[in-house]
């Protein structure tokens, strides 16, 4: 009688031994297994900010839409986080400064993974996004896609010249994240990549004016008023030449300025400097250039420049009725 061979029954060899099959349990990795997609270049722009704001107030921006890495979060829990990483190592062309290549002025800045959590990053030092502070905030557990963030903040600095300021950051990415394998074993997904971030801010010029009021005092007759001198202080963005003009006031007749009171007028004039009769007006040669300032003349350095003028009640006019006479002069700066 012939005997059939049963499935799974070991077959005896001619040497009397047994041979069999060993089934290997292989973990099949899903096409959606954890990985990072790295963009070669992204941008972060602070926009346009005037030089006085830059000097006094930190400015903030972030890389958009991410710092160059979009990653799928881990599928294993916190028990194995010590073996996981999303590391970013940064280097800066200008050593952490935004630089104007035309004049070499610079604006320092700081780098954060998340500024709201004070997670500061340092040049040349690897920062691991897979840390206890950011795991939940970024959603690094659960398998969803995450835009890895990076944020920037300028530091207050001295008055800098107007213009475009830039820096280029290079980020070297290195990651190791776990998927779930057989019996909960970590199937590590590793990789590296490089991103450059083009960081920029446009500094615009501005000026600040301090113009004290002018008071001639009181006198019974026109001839009794003394000449009065005042100084207008102007601070403009470093390197931004400008000119200063004074309007003719609200009641001028021709090129004669007049104060008004109860429908009556008192003629007066404003002159450049403390001597001479060069009228200070708001057009053409009547304006004053920053180079002619009485204090700190020349191209602005960011320090205050003073422009002195002499005010005089004009002689040769009839004394108007007693009363209070006023006018308003507009100081304008063109840069």
């Amino acid at each position: 009688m012939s005997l059939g061979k049963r499935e799974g029954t070991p077959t005896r060899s001619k040497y009397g031994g047994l041979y069999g099959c060993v089934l290997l349990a292989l973990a099949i990795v899903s096409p959606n297994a954890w990985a990072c997609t790295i963009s070669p270049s992204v941008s972060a722009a602070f926009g346009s900010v005037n030089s006085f704001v830059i000097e006094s107030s930190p400015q903030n921006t972030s890389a958009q839409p991410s710092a160059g890495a979009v990653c799928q979060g881990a599928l294993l829990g916190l028990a194995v986080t010590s073996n996981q990483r999303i590391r970013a190592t940064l280097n800066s062309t200008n050593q952490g400064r935004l630089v104007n290549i035309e004049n070499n002025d610079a604006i320092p800045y700081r780098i954060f993974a998340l500024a709201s959590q004070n997670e500061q990053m340092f040049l040349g030092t690897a920062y691991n996004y897979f840390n206890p502070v950011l795991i939940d905030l970024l959603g690094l557990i659960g398998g969803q896609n995450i835009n890895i963030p990076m944020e920037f903040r300028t530091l207050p600095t001295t008055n800098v010249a107007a213009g475009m300021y830039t820096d280029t950051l290079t980020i070297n990415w290195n990651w190791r994240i776990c998927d779930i394998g057989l019996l909960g074993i970590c199937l590590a997904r590793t990789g590296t990549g490089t991103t450059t971030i083009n960081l920029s801010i446009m500094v615009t010029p501005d000026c600040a004016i301090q113009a004290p009021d002018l008071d001639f005092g009181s006198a019974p007759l026109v001839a009794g008023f003394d000449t009065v001198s005042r100084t207008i202080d102007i601070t403009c963005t470093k390197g931004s030449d400008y000119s200063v003009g004074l309007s003719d006031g609200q009641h001028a007749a021709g090129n004669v300025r007049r104060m008004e009171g109860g429908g009556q007028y008192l003629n007066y004039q404003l002159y450049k400097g403390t001597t001479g009769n060069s009228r200070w007006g708001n057009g053409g040669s009547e304006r004053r250039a920053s180079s002619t300032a009485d204090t700190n003349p020349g191209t602005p350095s960011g320090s205050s420049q003073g422009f002195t003028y002499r005010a005089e009640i004009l002689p040769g006019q009839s004394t108007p009725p007693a009363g209070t006479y006023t006018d308003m002069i507009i100081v304008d700066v063109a840069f």
Side-chain angles (χ1 to χ4, degrees):
M1 132 181 204
S2 64
L3 297 177
K5 180 181 174 184
R6 291 191 301 170
E7 292 294 331
T9 302
T11 303
R12 187 177 300 274
S13 73
K14 65 179 180 178
Y15 300 105
L18 298 174
Y19 73 91
C21 315
V22 177
L23 300 179
L24 298 178
L26 300 177
I28 305 300
V29 178
S30 163
N32 295 320
W34 193 96
C36 282
T37 300
I38 303 300
S39 298
S41 179
V42 296
S43 297
F46 290 95
S48 295
V49 186
N50 82 58
S51 63
F52 292 103
V53 174
I54 287 291
E55 185 177 3
S56 59
S57 302
Q59 302 298 299
N60 298 282
T61 192
S62 60
Q64 295 295 331
S66 71
V70 180
C71 302
Q72 185 183 18
L75 293 174
L76 279 179
L78 298 180
V80 293
T81 56
S82 61
N83 295 321
Q84 302 186 78
R85 64 179 180 267
I86 304 173
R87 288 180 182 160
T89 304
L90 288 76
N91 291 287
S92 161
T93 299
N94 299 319
Q95 293 75 53
R97 303 176 306 150
L98 295 152
V99 174
N100 183 331
I101 61 173
E102 294 183 0
N103 55 37
N104 211 38
D105 278 359
I107 303 169
Y109 65 91
R110 289 179 178 172
I111 309 167
F112 298 86
L114 276 184
S116 61
Q117 301 301 312
N118 201 33
E119 284 294 296
Q120 188 172 351
M121 307 173 73
F122 300 92
L123 297 175
T125 301
Y127 177 87
N128 187 10
Y129 280 85
F130 213 97
N131 66 62
V133 175
L134 299 186
I135 284 173
D136 290 333
L137 288 174
L138 298 183
L140 293 175
I141 298 295
Q144 65 269 40
N145 288 333
I146 306 297
N147 286 321
I148 303 301
M150 191 172 293
E151 301 175 356
F152 307 92
R153 178 185 299 157
T154 63
L155 297 175
T157 186
T158 55
N159 198 322
V160 294
M164 179 65 76
Y165 289 71
T166 61
D167 191 20
T168 301
L169 286 172
T170 301
I171 309 173
N172 293 314
W173 297 101
N174 180 296
W175 62 87
R176 180 185 187 276
I177 298 296
C178 292
D179 259 342
I180 300 175
L182 184 67
L183 303 177
I185 296 173
C186 170
L187 296 177
R189 297 292 173 260
T190 63
T192 61
T194 301
T195 298
T196 59
I197 295 183
N198 300 305
L199 189 60
S200 65
I201 187 169
M202 173 61 78
V203 177
T204 57
D206 201 357
C207 290
I209 304 170
Q210 290 186 326
D213 290 339
L214 169 66
D215 188 350
F216 285 100
S218 60
L221 301 171
V222 166
F225 287 102
D226 293 327
T227 298
V228 178
S229 293
R230 290 287 185 272
T231 297
I232 297 172
D233 291 310
I234 298 176
T235 304
C236 283
T237 299
K238 176 183 175 182
S240 297
D241 289 315
Y242 61 91
S243 66
V244 189
L246 301 182
S247 72
D248 290 337
Q250 298 174 309
H251 314 289
N255 66 351
V256 176
R257 294 178 168 101
R258 303 190 301 174
M259 290 179 282
E260 186 272 341
Q264 301 296 313
Y265 299 95
L266 185 60
N267 300 340
Y268 72 102
Q269 199 54 273
L270 305 177
Y271 301 103
K272 300 175 184 177
T274 56
T275 60
N277 294 313
S278 180
R279 184 178 187 272
W280 192 357
N282 63 356
S285 61
E286 290 191 341
R287 300 182 67 86
R288 296 195 63 178
S290 53
S291 58
T292 67
D294 299 292
T295 305
N296 296 325
T299 297
S301 63
S303 299
S304 174
Q305 295 178 288
F307 297 83
T308 301
Y309 66 90
R310 189 178 86 261
E312 179 184 20
I313 300 294
L314 295 178
Q317 61 179 308
S318 300
T319 299
T324 299
Y325 291 78
T326 63
D327 193 17
M328 181 179 290
I329 297 292
I330 296 174
V331 181
D332 78 90
V333 177
F335 52 89

